[in-house]
Amino acid sequence: MTKLFVGNLSWGTTDDSLHQAFSQFGQVQDTIVLKDRETGRSRGFGFVTMESADEAQAAIDAMNEQELDGRTIRVNIANDRWLWRQPRLRPAAGRLPRW
């Protein structure tokens, strides 16, 4: 499974509309649009989990810089935040990781 980050979402974008938009590129395992706790509106980004890396790449190629719900969205592979929490995997100041 490959998780995608989807940025610059409209406030009106829902989990269902995100799922529908990405399902044409393969099997979608999960979608989530993060919402503001106080207002309940979209925070402008979300995540889509695709079944395979090939399907994820097809979704990136087709959806990045395209319009969804009136906004031009950004789509790329989501970062694994837990890697940056591991002290031995965190790069030294000013250096990029080699993987």
Side-chain angles (χ1 to χ4, degrees):
M1 288 189 280
T2 303
K3 186 176 275 195
L4 303 176
F5 171 83
V6 185
N8 202 36
L9 292 174
S10 164
W11 286 344
T13 301
T14 64
D15 295 345
D16 291 336
S17 65
L18 196 59
H19 186 280
Q20 185 176 12
F22 281 80
S23 64
Q24 60 187 316
F25 306 106
Q27 183 69 33
V28 175
Q29 294 296 315
D30 186 40
T31 57
I32 185 166
V33 174
L34 279 82
K35 296 180 174 73
D36 183 270
R37 289 181 200 160
E38 293 178 16
T39 65
R41 283 191 313 198
S42 167
R43 291 183 58 197
F45 67 96
F47 296 94
V48 177
T49 305
M50 303 294 290
E51 179 67 28
S52 72
D54 290 337
E55 292 171 346
Q57 190 59 53
I60 291 169
D61 294 342
M63 295 294 290
N64 190 41
E65 298 293 330
Q66 298 301 311
E67 191 170 301
L68 178 66
D69 295 334
R71 301 280 307 255
T72 301
I73 62 171
R74 297 292 314 246
V75 182
N76 51 36
I77 302 288
N79 293 332
D80 287 330
R81 290 179 66 183
W82 70 270
L83 285 175
W84 296 99
R85 292 181 185 154
Q86 307 302 317
R88 71 176 194 279
L89 297 176
R90 204 174 308 141
R95 290 185 15 189
L96 295 174
R98 295 185 185 197
W99 67 82

